[in-house]
Amino acid sequence: MNIYYTVVKFFQDGGEFMYPIAAVMVVGLAIGIERLIFVSKVRTANRLAFQKIQPLLIQQDFKALMKFMQHSKAPLSELINAGIMKLATTRDRAQLEYAMEEKLMESTPRLEKRTSYLALLANIATLLGLLGTIAGLIAAFGAVANADLSQKATLLSQSIAVAMNTTAFGLIVAIPLLMIHAYVHTKTAEIMDLLDVACIKFLNQLSSSSSVN
């Protein structure tokens, strides 16, 4: 219970700027959790798809590949499917590569969706904390201007301590959001790298086959 009352007092002493910072925290955590779940699901789906697709590519079993694509929602499956669909109309490697790059460009915004908001919200939380501290300091100096000389030092130190709460809270919100942003960004880059590798393997496998000119 003491921790609860400490947190409540800390929040109340911070002033009005604690509320927008708290709102930023709620929105940021909601986006962060959604992105973490999404990236985790995509990574798992892509790895499973890659394990299934690679031997089929080596065997040049396109019928089995197409059957697998119909039941797979992984971005990797969509990428390979774009290449196979283009293979029905052309055997040119450049045309196949263009078709797969187009599908990759379509998948990128979905993978990176809302990730940049995490860094933005972290910066907003930090700036709101600083703004709240500045506003608190302005109010503190105004309050002690007419106070007795013997009380000025005590009132000023207390007011500054309260004003610094908003900066502390802003940093408390910003740091986890930046960590989540860095993690999601790194894992998204890993997904994109895997898609690039799969594209190259697909094209190289076709090039090594006698069925591709």
Side-chain angles (χ1 to χ4, degrees):
M1 293 299 292
N2 290 335
I3 296 177
Y4 173 77
Y5 287 122
T6 300
V7 172
V8 171
K9 188 176 186 304
F10 169 78
F11 191 84
Q12 291 175 340
D13 289 344
E16 296 179 354
F17 280 89
M18 301 292 271
Y19 295 98
I21 296 174
V24 170
M25 178 183 67
V26 172
V27 174
L29 289 178
I31 294 175
I33 293 172
E34 185 273 331
R35 286 289 88 191
L36 288 172
I37 294 173
F38 176 80
V39 169
S40 178
K41 287 182 177 179
V42 170
R43 288 182 66 208
T44 302
N46 274 348
R47 287 179 178 177
L48 293 175
F50 189 78
Q51 294 173 0
K52 180 68 175 179
I53 289 172
Q54 188 173 19
L56 295 177
L57 281 176
I58 295 175
Q59 300 169 11
Q60 297 288 310
D61 192 349
F62 296 120
K63 289 184 179 180
L65 271 174
M66 292 294 293
K67 184 177 180 181
F68 175 75
M69 303 301 179
Q70 293 175 356
H71 300 90
S72 177
K73 300 298 183 182
L76 177 60
S77 299
E78 296 176 356
L79 180 66
I80 301 299
N81 187 53
I84 294 176
M85 295 297 291
K86 192 65 176 180
L87 189 63
T89 59
T90 182
R91 302 280 181 168
D92 182 65
R93 181 186 175 101
Q95 295 298 320
L96 294 173
E97 188 173 353
Y98 292 151
M100 297 181 76
E101 285 182 355
E102 181 181 359
K103 178 57 67 173
L104 184 60
M105 292 176 65
E106 291 177 0
S107 301
T108 299
R110 189 173 57 198
L111 294 172
E112 297 178 345
K113 187 177 181 182
R114 289 188 291 273
T115 300
S116 61
Y117 290 166
L118 294 172
L120 175 63
L121 290 170
N123 289 330
I124 290 175
T126 302
L127 293 175
L128 284 174
L130 293 174
L131 182 59
T133 295
I134 293 172
L137 291 176
I138 293 173
F141 282 111
V144 300
N146 298 322
D148 293 336
L149 185 60
S150 59
Q151 297 178 343
K152 282 188 176 182
T154 302
L155 290 174
L156 185 59
S157 61
Q158 292 175 347
S159 300
I160 291 175
V162 170
M164 294 299 290
N165 285 348
T166 54
T167 296
F169 188 45
L171 294 175
I172 289 172
V173 172
I175 292 172
L177 292 182
L178 287 175
M179 293 176 64
I180 295 173
H181 173 266
Y183 179 84
V184 172
H185 180 75
T186 300
K187 297 307 176 183
T188 301
E190 290 180 3
I191 292 172
M192 300 300 297
D193 290 341
L194 179 61
L195 294 178
D196 288 335
V197 170
C199 179
I200 294 173
K201 284 183 175 291
F202 174 78
L203 295 172
N204 289 342
Q205 189 62 40
L206 292 178
S207 297
S208 64
S209 173
S210 58
S211 63
V212 179
N213 297 328

mmCIF file of all heavy atoms in Angstrom, residues 87-132:
data_model
loop_
_atom_site.group_PDB
_atom_site.id
_atom_site.type_symbol
_atom_site.label_atom_id
_atom_site.label_comp_id
_atom_site.label_asym_id
_atom_site.label_seq_id
_atom_site.Cartn_x
_atom_site.Cartn_y
_atom_site.Cartn_z
ATOM 1 N N LEU A 87 6.083 -16.469 -63.250
ATOM 2 C CA LEU A 87 6.752 -17.533 -64.000
ATOM 3 C C LEU A 87 5.836 -18.142 -65.049
ATOM 4 O O LEU A 87 6.314 -18.695 -66.041
ATOM 5 C CB LEU A 87 7.231 -18.614 -63.023
ATOM 6 C CG LEU A 87 8.139 -19.714 -63.562
ATOM 7 C CD1 LEU A 87 9.447 -19.121 -64.054
ATOM 8 C CD2 LEU A 87 8.397 -20.756 -62.481
ATOM 9 N N ALA A 88 4.530 -18.012 -64.853
ATOM 10 C CA ALA A 88 3.574 -18.565 -65.809
ATOM 11 C C ALA A 88 3.546 -17.782 -67.118
ATOM 12 O O ALA A 88 3.095 -18.301 -68.139
ATOM 13 C CB ALA A 88 2.173 -18.595 -65.192
ATOM 14 N N THR A 89 4.028 -16.533 -67.087
ATOM 15 C CA THR A 89 3.971 -15.683 -68.287
ATOM 16 C C THR A 89 5.350 -15.353 -68.850
ATOM 17 O O THR A 89 5.463 -14.943 -69.998
ATOM 18 C CB THR A 89 3.241 -14.365 -67.972
ATOM 19 O OG1 THR A 89 3.925 -13.674 -66.924
ATOM 20 C CG2 THR A 89 1.799 -14.641 -67.558
ATOM 21 N N THR A 90 6.398 -15.514 -68.051
ATOM 22 C CA THR A 90 7.741 -15.178 -68.529
ATOM 23 C C THR A 90 8.780 -15.997 -67.790
ATOM 24 O O THR A 90 8.561 -16.406 -66.654
ATOM 25 C CB THR A 90 8.045 -13.684 -68.343
ATOM 26 O OG1 THR A 90 9.358 -13.400 -68.866
ATOM 27 C CG2 THR A 90 8.006 -13.294 -66.888
ATOM 28 N N ARG A 91 9.903 -16.237 -68.465
ATOM 29 C CA ARG A 91 11.018 -16.940 -67.855
ATOM 30 C C ARG A 91 12.202 -15.994 -67.614
ATOM 31 O O ARG A 91 13.260 -16.436 -67.163
ATOM 32 C CB ARG A 91 11.482 -18.085 -68.777
ATOM 33 C CG ARG A 91 10.400 -19.097 -69.100
ATOM 34 C CD ARG A 91 10.227 -20.073 -67.990
ATOM 35 N NE ARG A 91 9.206 -21.075 -68.285
ATOM 36 C CZ ARG A 91 9.013 -22.169 -67.582
ATOM 37 N NH1 ARG A 91 9.777 -22.404 -66.530
ATOM 38 N NH2 ARG A 91 8.064 -23.021 -67.882
ATOM 39 N N ASP A 92 11.996 -14.744 -67.895
ATOM 40 C CA ASP A 92 13.074 -13.772 -67.767
ATOM 41 C C ASP A 92 13.329 -13.465 -66.295
ATOM 42 O O ASP A 92 12.416 -13.091 -65.556
ATOM 43 C CB ASP A 92 12.721 -12.490 -68.526
ATOM 44 C CG ASP A 92 13.846 -11.470 -68.464
ATOM 45 O OD1 ASP A 92 14.918 -11.737 -69.003
ATOM 46 O OD2 ASP A 92 13.628 -10.408 -67.843
ATOM 47 N N ARG A 93 14.602 -13.595 -65.870
ATOM 48 C CA ARG A 93 14.943 -13.388 -64.457
ATOM 49 C C ARG A 93 14.626 -11.972 -64.006
ATOM 50 O O ARG A 93 14.129 -11.758 -62.891
ATOM 51 C CB ARG A 93 16.427 -13.697 -64.232
ATOM 52 C CG ARG A 93 16.855 -13.518 -62.766
ATOM 53 C CD ARG A 93 18.361 -13.681 -62.618
ATOM 54 N NE ARG A 93 18.762 -13.378 -61.236
ATOM 55 C CZ ARG A 93 19.025 -14.276 -60.315
ATOM 56 N NH1 ARG A 93 18.936 -15.577 -60.609
ATOM 57 N NH2 ARG A 93 19.381 -13.929 -59.085
ATOM 58 N N ALA A 94 14.901 -10.989 -64.876
ATOM 59 C CA ALA A 94 14.663 -9.592 -64.498
ATOM 60 C C ALA A 94 13.176 -9.338 -64.248
ATOM 61 O O ALA A 94 12.811 -8.657 -63.282
ATOM 62 C CB ALA A 94 15.186 -8.656 -65.580
ATOM 63 N N GLN A 95 12.329 -9.895 -65.093
ATOM 64 C CA GLN A 95 10.889 -9.715 -64.915
ATOM 65 C C GLN A 95 10.396 -10.395 -63.642
ATOM 66 O O GLN A 95 9.535 -9.864 -62.928
ATOM 67 C CB GLN A 95 10.143 -10.276 -66.136
ATOM 68 C CG GLN A 95 10.407 -9.533 -67.435
ATOM 69 C CD GLN A 95 9.945 -8.090 -67.366
ATOM 70 O OE1 GLN A 95 8.891 -7.789 -66.798
ATOM 71 N NE2 GLN A 95 10.730 -7.188 -67.947
ATOM 72 N N LEU A 96 10.945 -11.571 -63.351
ATOM 73 C CA LEU A 96 10.576 -12.259 -62.118
ATOM 74 C C LEU A 96 11.006 -11.447 -60.897
ATOM 75 O O LEU A 96 10.266 -11.324 -59.914
ATOM 76 C CB LEU A 96 11.228 -13.641 -62.080
ATOM 77 C CG LEU A 96 10.764 -14.656 -63.134
ATOM 78 C CD1 LEU A 96 11.621 -15.903 -63.065
ATOM 79 C CD2 LEU A 96 9.295 -15.009 -62.935
ATOM 80 N N GLU A 97 12.199 -10.875 -60.994
ATOM 81 C CA GLU A 97 12.713 -10.071 -59.884
ATOM 82 C C GLU A 97 11.863 -8.827 -59.671
ATOM 83 O O GLU A 97 11.576 -8.446 -58.520
ATOM 84 C CB GLU A 97 14.160 -9.681 -60.167
ATOM 85 C CG GLU A 97 14.845 -9.008 -58.996
ATOM 86 C CD GLU A 97 16.320 -8.787 -59.242
ATOM 87 O OE1 GLU A 97 16.824 -9.279 -60.274
ATOM 88 O OE2 GLU A 97 16.966 -8.126 -58.407
ATOM 89 N N TYR A 98 11.438 -8.186 -60.753
ATOM 90 C CA TYR A 98 10.594 -6.998 -60.640
ATOM 91 C C TYR A 98 9.270 -7.338 -59.973
ATOM 92 O O TYR A 98 8.761 -6.574 -59.134
ATOM 93 C CB TYR A 98 10.335 -6.397 -62.025
ATOM 94 C CG TYR A 98 11.554 -5.795 -62.675
ATOM 95 C CD1 TYR A 98 11.682 -5.759 -64.065
ATOM 96 C CD2 TYR A 98 12.598 -5.269 -61.909
ATOM 97 C CE1 TYR A 98 12.806 -5.213 -64.669
ATOM 98 C CE2 TYR A 98 13.720 -4.727 -62.513
ATOM 99 C CZ TYR A 98 13.818 -4.703 -63.886
ATOM 100 O OH TYR A 98 14.931 -4.166 -64.472
ATOM 101 N N ALA A 99 8.690 -8.478 -60.342
ATOM 102 C CA ALA A 99 7.407 -8.884 -59.760
ATOM 103 C C ALA A 99 7.534 -9.125 -58.262
ATOM 104 O O ALA A 99 6.668 -8.734 -57.474
ATOM 105 C CB ALA A 99 6.895 -10.137 -60.461
ATOM 106 N N MET A 100 8.634 -9.745 -57.866
ATOM 107 C CA MET A 100 8.839 -10.039 -56.447
ATOM 108 C C MET A 100 9.190 -8.768 -55.668
ATOM 109 O O MET A 100 8.779 -8.606 -54.517
ATOM 110 C CB MET A 100 9.933 -11.094 -56.291
ATOM 111 C CG MET A 100 9.562 -12.424 -56.936
ATOM 112 S SD MET A 100 10.836 -13.700 -56.752
ATOM 113 C CE MET A 100 10.596 -14.166 -55.045
ATOM 114 N N GLU A 101 9.936 -7.871 -56.285
ATOM 115 C CA GLU A 101 10.242 -6.597 -55.634
ATOM 116 C C GLU A 101 8.973 -5.778 -55.423
ATOM 117 O O GLU A 101 8.836 -5.097 -54.398
ATOM 118 C CB GLU A 101 11.238 -5.808 -56.479
ATOM 119 C CG GLU A 101 12.663 -6.333 -56.401
ATOM 120 C CD GLU A 101 13.620 -5.502 -57.219
ATOM 121 O OE1 GLU A 101 13.158 -4.568 -57.921
ATOM 122 O OE2 GLU A 101 14.836 -5.773 -57.169
ATOM 123 N N GLU A 102 8.057 -5.849 -56.378
ATOM 124 C CA GLU A 102 6.786 -5.133 -56.229
ATOM 125 C C GLU A 102 6.001 -5.660 -55.032
ATOM 126 O O GLU A 102 5.444 -4.887 -54.243
ATOM 127 C CB GLU A 102 5.965 -5.275 -57.503
ATOM 128 C CG GLU A 102 4.626 -4.538 -57.458
ATOM 129 C CD GLU A 102 3.820 -4.709 -58.736
ATOM 130 O OE1 GLU A 102 4.306 -5.386 -59.655
ATOM 131 O OE2 GLU A 102 2.709 -4.161 -58.802
ATOM 132 N N LYS A 103 5.955 -6.973 -54.898
ATOM 133 C CA LYS A 103 5.264 -7.574 -53.750
ATOM 134 C C LYS A 103 5.975 -7.223 -52.446
ATOM 135 O O LYS A 103 5.330 -6.979 -51.422
ATOM 136 C CB LYS A 103 5.205 -9.089 -53.926
ATOM 137 C CG LYS A 103 4.547 -9.833 -52.776
ATOM 138 C CD LYS A 103 3.129 -9.338 -52.516
ATOM 139 C CE LYS A 103 2.192 -9.661 -53.664
ATOM 140 N NZ LYS A 103 0.797 -9.327 -53.346
ATOM 141 N N LEU A 104 7.315 -7.168 -52.489
ATOM 142 C CA LEU A 104 8.075 -6.798 -51.301
ATOM 143 C C LEU A 104 7.781 -5.364 -50.880
ATOM 144 O O LEU A 104 7.646 -5.066 -49.687
ATOM 145 C CB LEU A 104 9.573 -6.970 -51.566
ATOM 146 C CG LEU A 104 10.524 -6.709 -50.400
ATOM 147 C CD1 LEU A 104 10.225 -7.660 -49.241
ATOM 148 C CD2 LEU A 104 11.970 -6.854 -50.838
ATOM 149 N N MET A 105 7.660 -4.478 -51.863
ATOM 150 C CA MET A 105 7.330 -3.081 -51.573
ATOM 151 C C MET A 105 5.926 -2.950 -50.997
ATOM 152 O O MET A 105 5.663 -2.068 -50.180
ATOM 153 C CB MET A 105 7.470 -2.245 -52.837
ATOM 154 C CG MET A 105 8.907 -2.105 -53.335
ATOM 155 S SD MET A 105 9.040 -1.212 -54.900
ATOM 156 C CE MET A 105 8.452 0.412 -54.401
ATOM 157 N N GLU A 106 5.024 -3.839 -51.395
ATOM 158 C CA GLU A 106 3.672 -3.826 -50.841
ATOM 159 C C GLU A 106 3.661 -4.312 -49.390
ATOM 160 O O GLU A 106 2.841 -3.852 -48.589
ATOM 161 C CB GLU A 106 2.754 -4.707 -51.691
ATOM 162 C CG GLU A 106 2.473 -4.158 -53.090
ATOM 163 C CD GLU A 106 1.623 -5.104 -53.912
ATOM 164 O OE1 GLU A 106 1.253 -6.183 -53.391
ATOM 165 O OE2 GLU A 106 1.331 -4.777 -55.075
ATOM 166 N N SER A 107 4.558 -5.221 -49.074
ATOM 167 C CA SER A 107 4.593 -5.780 -47.718
ATOM 168 C C SER A 107 5.299 -4.867 -46.723
ATOM 169 O O SER A 107 4.985 -4.900 -45.526
ATOM 170 C CB SER A 107 5.306 -7.143 -47.741
ATOM 171 O OG SER A 107 4.648 -8.050 -48.593
ATOM 172 N N THR A 108 6.233 -4.044 -47.205
ATOM 173 C CA THR A 108 7.041 -3.216 -46.305
ATOM 174 C C THR A 108 6.211 -2.262 -45.445
ATOM 175 O O THR A 108 6.418 -2.191 -44.230
ATOM 176 C CB THR A 108 8.093 -2.440 -47.110
ATOM 177 O OG1 THR A 108 8.955 -3.365 -47.785
ATOM 178 C CG2 THR A 108 8.924 -1.551 -46.204
ATOM 179 N N PRO A 109 5.273 -1.490 -46.037
ATOM 180 C CA PRO A 109 4.480 -0.581 -45.182
ATOM 181 C C PRO A 109 3.700 -1.303 -44.098
ATOM 182 O O PRO A 109 3.545 -0.788 -42.994
ATOM 183 C CB PRO A 109 3.534 0.105 -46.181
ATOM 184 C CG PRO A 109 4.214 -0.020 -47.500
ATOM 185 C CD PRO A 109 4.920 -1.333 -47.456
ATOM 186 N N ARG A 110 3.233 -2.505 -44.396
ATOM 187 C CA ARG A 110 2.478 -3.267 -43.399
ATOM 188 C C ARG A 110 3.379 -3.710 -42.257
ATOM 189 O O ARG A 110 2.963 -3.729 -41.092
ATOM 190 C CB ARG A 110 1.840 -4.477 -44.086
ATOM 191 C CG ARG A 110 0.858 -5.250 -43.226
ATOM 192 C CD ARG A 110 0.162 -6.305 -44.056
ATOM 193 N NE ARG A 110 1.120 -7.209 -44.667
ATOM 194 C CZ ARG A 110 0.838 -7.993 -45.695
ATOM 195 N NH1 ARG A 110 -0.349 -7.937 -46.262
ATOM 196 N NH2 ARG A 110 1.751 -8.801 -46.183
ATOM 197 N N LEU A 111 4.628 -4.052 -42.577
ATOM 198 C CA LEU A 111 5.565 -4.480 -41.544
ATOM 199 C C LEU A 111 6.026 -3.313 -40.680
ATOM 200 O O LEU A 111 6.261 -3.469 -39.481
ATOM 201 C CB LEU A 111 6.779 -5.157 -42.190
ATOM 202 C CG LEU A 111 6.517 -6.489 -42.905
ATOM 203 C CD1 LEU A 111 7.768 -6.939 -43.651
ATOM 204 C CD2 LEU A 111 6.083 -7.555 -41.910
ATOM 205 N N GLU A 112 6.159 -2.131 -41.282
ATOM 206 C CA GLU A 112 6.671 -0.965 -40.568
ATOM 207 C C GLU A 112 5.568 -0.064 -40.016
ATOM 208 O O GLU A 112 5.855 0.973 -39.424
ATOM 209 C CB GLU A 112 7.566 -0.147 -41.498
ATOM 210 C CG GLU A 112 8.806 -0.913 -41.970
ATOM 211 C CD GLU A 112 9.649 -0.105 -42.931
ATOM 212 O OE1 GLU A 112 9.133 0.914 -43.445
ATOM 213 O OE2 GLU A 112 10.812 -0.479 -43.155
ATOM 214 N N LYS A 113 4.333 -0.479 -40.181
ATOM 215 C CA LYS A 113 3.188 0.338 -39.788
ATOM 216 C C LYS A 113 3.231 0.704 -38.301
ATOM 217 O O LYS A 113 3.407 -0.161 -37.446
ATOM 218 C CB LYS A 113 1.900 -0.422 -40.108
ATOM 219 C CG LYS A 113 0.625 0.375 -39.912
ATOM 220 C CD LYS A 113 -0.576 -0.462 -40.324
ATOM 221 C CE LYS A 113 -1.873 0.299 -40.177
ATOM 222 N NZ LYS A 113 -3.045 -0.539 -40.547
ATOM 223 N N ARG A 114 3.096 1.977 -38.012
ATOM 224 C CA ARG A 114 3.009 2.539 -36.663
ATOM 225 C C ARG A 114 4.286 2.408 -35.837
ATOM 226 O O ARG A 114 4.332 2.900 -34.710
ATOM 227 C CB ARG A 114 1.832 1.932 -35.881
ATOM 228 C CG ARG A 114 0.473 2.371 -36.362
ATOM 229 C CD ARG A 114 -0.614 1.887 -35.431
ATOM 230 N NE ARG A 114 -0.778 0.456 -35.485
ATOM 231 C CZ ARG A 114 -1.557 -0.186 -36.348
ATOM 232 N NH1 ARG A 114 -2.245 0.497 -37.244
ATOM 233 N NH2 ARG A 114 -1.666 -1.502 -36.327
ATOM 234 N N THR A 115 5.323 1.769 -36.353
ATOM 235 C CA THR A 115 6.553 1.623 -35.573
ATOM 236 C C THR A 115 7.190 2.979 -35.280
ATOM 237 O O THR A 115 7.692 3.219 -34.170
ATOM 238 C CB THR A 115 7.557 0.724 -36.318
ATOM 239 O OG1 THR A 115 6.969 -0.569 -36.528
ATOM 240 C CG2 THR A 115 8.837 0.560 -35.513
ATOM 241 N N SER A 116 7.180 3.870 -36.264
ATOM 242 C CA SER A 116 7.794 5.189 -36.075
ATOM 243 C C SER A 116 7.076 6.014 -35.018
ATOM 244 O O SER A 116 7.668 6.929 -34.423
ATOM 245 C CB SER A 116 7.816 5.955 -37.399
ATOM 246 O OG SER A 116 6.493 6.160 -37.888
ATOM 247 N N TYR A 117 5.800 5.689 -34.756
ATOM 248 C CA TYR A 117 5.052 6.428 -33.737
ATOM 249 C C TYR A 117 5.654 6.238 -32.345
ATOM 250 O O TYR A 117 5.517 7.111 -31.475
ATOM 251 C CB TYR A 117 3.588 5.977 -33.721
ATOM 252 C CG TYR A 117 2.786 6.386 -34.930
ATOM 253 C CD1 TYR A 117 1.545 5.817 -35.192
ATOM 254 C CD2 TYR A 117 3.261 7.337 -35.827
ATOM 255 C CE1 TYR A 117 0.799 6.183 -36.308
ATOM 256 C CE2 TYR A 117 2.530 7.699 -36.938
ATOM 257 C CZ TYR A 117 1.303 7.118 -37.179
ATOM 258 O OH TYR A 117 0.563 7.482 -38.278
ATOM 259 N N LEU A 118 6.297 5.095 -32.118
ATOM 260 C CA LEU A 118 6.860 4.823 -30.800
ATOM 261 C C LEU A 118 7.958 5.819 -30.459
ATOM 262 O O LEU A 118 7.998 6.361 -29.346
ATOM 263 C CB LEU A 118 7.408 3.395 -30.752
ATOM 264 C CG LEU A 118 6.362 2.278 -30.879
ATOM 265 C CD1 LEU A 118 7.046 0.933 -31.021
ATOM 266 C CD2 LEU A 118 5.439 2.280 -29.670
ATOM 267 N N ALA A 119 8.854 6.085 -31.418
ATOM 268 C CA ALA A 119 9.910 7.070 -31.191
ATOM 269 C C ALA A 119 9.326 8.470 -31.045
ATOM 270 O O ALA A 119 9.783 9.267 -30.217
ATOM 271 C CB ALA A 119 10.920 7.035 -32.331
ATOM 272 N N LEU A 120 8.308 8.758 -31.851
ATOM 273 C CA LEU A 120 7.658 10.070 -31.773
ATOM 274 C C LEU A 120 7.010 10.284 -30.414
ATOM 275 O O LEU A 120 7.180 11.355 -29.791
ATOM 276 C CB LEU A 120 6.610 10.194 -32.884
ATOM 277 C CG LEU A 120 5.753 11.460 -32.872
ATOM 278 C CD1 LEU A 120 6.617 12.699 -33.074
ATOM 279 C CD2 LEU A 120 4.663 11.387 -33.945
ATOM 280 N N LEU A 121 6.301 9.295 -29.934
ATOM 281 C CA LEU A 121 5.637 9.413 -28.633
ATOM 282 C C LEU A 121 6.646 9.505 -27.495
ATOM 283 O O LEU A 121 6.414 10.211 -26.502
ATOM 284 C CB LEU A 121 4.698 8.222 -28.417
ATOM 285 C CG LEU A 121 3.454 8.196 -29.306
ATOM 286 C CD1 LEU A 121 2.729 6.864 -29.173
ATOM 287 C CD2 LEU A 121 2.516 9.346 -28.978
ATOM 288 N N ALA A 122 7.765 8.813 -27.632
ATOM 289 C CA ALA A 122 8.815 8.911 -26.621
ATOM 290 C C ALA A 122 9.364 10.334 -26.548
ATOM 291 O O ALA A 122 9.570 10.886 -25.456
ATOM 292 C CB ALA A 122 9.943 7.926 -26.933
ATOM 293 N N ASN A 123 9.574 10.945 -27.697
ATOM 294 C CA ASN A 123 10.051 12.332 -27.721
ATOM 295 C C ASN A 123 9.009 13.293 -27.152
ATOM 296 O O ASN A 123 9.349 14.243 -26.433
ATOM 297 C CB ASN A 123 10.403 12.736 -29.152
ATOM 298 C CG ASN A 123 11.657 12.053 -29.653
ATOM 299 O OD1 ASN A 123 12.549 11.734 -28.880
ATOM 300 N ND2 ASN A 123 11.717 11.803 -30.948
ATOM 301 N N ILE A 124 7.741 13.043 -27.471
ATOM 302 C CA ILE A 124 6.668 13.891 -26.959
ATOM 303 C C ILE A 124 6.602 13.804 -25.430
ATOM 304 O O ILE A 124 6.436 14.817 -24.742
ATOM 305 C CB ILE A 124 5.318 13.501 -27.588
ATOM 306 C CG1 ILE A 124 5.298 13.883 -29.078
ATOM 307 C CG2 ILE A 124 4.153 14.179 -26.858
ATOM 308 C CD1 ILE A 124 4.060 13.427 -29.807
ATOM 309 N N ALA A 125 6.731 12.589 -24.894
ATOM 310 C CA ALA A 125 6.697 12.412 -23.438
ATOM 311 C C ALA A 125 7.842 13.166 -22.771
ATOM 312 O O ALA A 125 7.650 13.829 -21.736
ATOM 313 C CB ALA A 125 6.770 10.925 -23.090
ATOM 314 N N THR A 126 9.034 13.095 -23.367
ATOM 315 C CA THR A 126 10.180 13.811 -22.807
ATOM 316 C C THR A 126 9.962 15.312 -22.830
ATOM 317 O O THR A 126 10.220 16.020 -21.839
ATOM 318 C CB THR A 126 11.454 13.462 -23.590
ATOM 319 O OG1 THR A 126 11.660 12.046 -23.554
ATOM 320 C CG2 THR A 126 12.665 14.158 -22.989
ATOM 321 N N LEU A 127 9.472 15.821 -23.960
ATOM 322 C CA LEU A 127 9.257 17.266 -24.095
ATOM 323 C C LEU A 127 8.140 17.753 -23.176
ATOM 324 O O LEU A 127 8.234 18.851 -22.603
ATOM 325 C CB LEU A 127 8.943 17.611 -25.548
ATOM 326 C CG LEU A 127 10.097 17.395 -26.536
ATOM 327 C CD1 LEU A 127 9.637 17.650 -27.969
ATOM 328 C CD2 LEU A 127 11.271 18.297 -26.198
ATOM 329 N N LEU A 128 7.086 16.956 -23.029
ATOM 330 C CA LEU A 128 6.017 17.335 -22.102
ATOM 331 C C LEU A 128 6.534 17.379 -20.663
ATOM 332 O O LEU A 128 6.140 18.249 -19.882
ATOM 333 C CB LEU A 128 4.859 16.344 -22.208
ATOM 334 C CG LEU A 128 3.946 16.487 -23.431
ATOM 335 C CD1 LEU A 128 2.940 15.333 -23.477
ATOM 336 C CD2 LEU A 128 3.217 17.828 -23.426
ATOM 337 N N GLY A 129 7.413 16.438 -20.330
ATOM 338 C CA GLY A 129 7.998 16.456 -18.997
ATOM 339 C C GLY A 129 8.825 17.707 -18.751
ATOM 340 O O GLY A 129 8.729 18.342 -17.695
ATOM 341 N N LEU A 130 9.627 18.092 -19.744
ATOM 342 C CA LEU A 130 10.428 19.309 -19.616
ATOM 343 C C LEU A 130 9.544 20.547 -19.553
ATOM 344 O O LEU A 130 9.800 21.473 -18.765
ATOM 345 C CB LEU A 130 11.401 19.413 -20.790
ATOM 346 C CG LEU A 130 12.511 18.355 -20.834
ATOM 347 C CD1 LEU A 130 13.307 18.485 -22.121
ATOM 348 C CD2 LEU A 130 13.427 18.490 -19.624
ATOM 349 N N LEU A 131 8.507 20.551 -20.375
ATOM 350 C CA LEU A 131 7.597 21.692 -20.376
ATOM 351 C C LEU A 131 6.881 21.822 -19.031
ATOM 352 O O LEU A 131 6.703 22.927 -18.507
ATOM 353 C CB LEU A 131 6.576 21.552 -21.504
ATOM 354 C CG LEU A 131 5.567 22.697 -21.672
ATOM 355 C CD1 LEU A 131 6.289 24.020 -21.933
ATOM 356 C CD2 LEU A 131 4.590 22.390 -22.809
ATOM 357 N N GLY A 132 6.478 20.690 -18.479
ATOM 358 C CA GLY A 132 5.830 20.716 -17.173
ATOM 359 C C GLY A 132 6.762 21.218 -16.080
ATOM 360 O O GLY A 132 6.345 21.965 -15.191
#
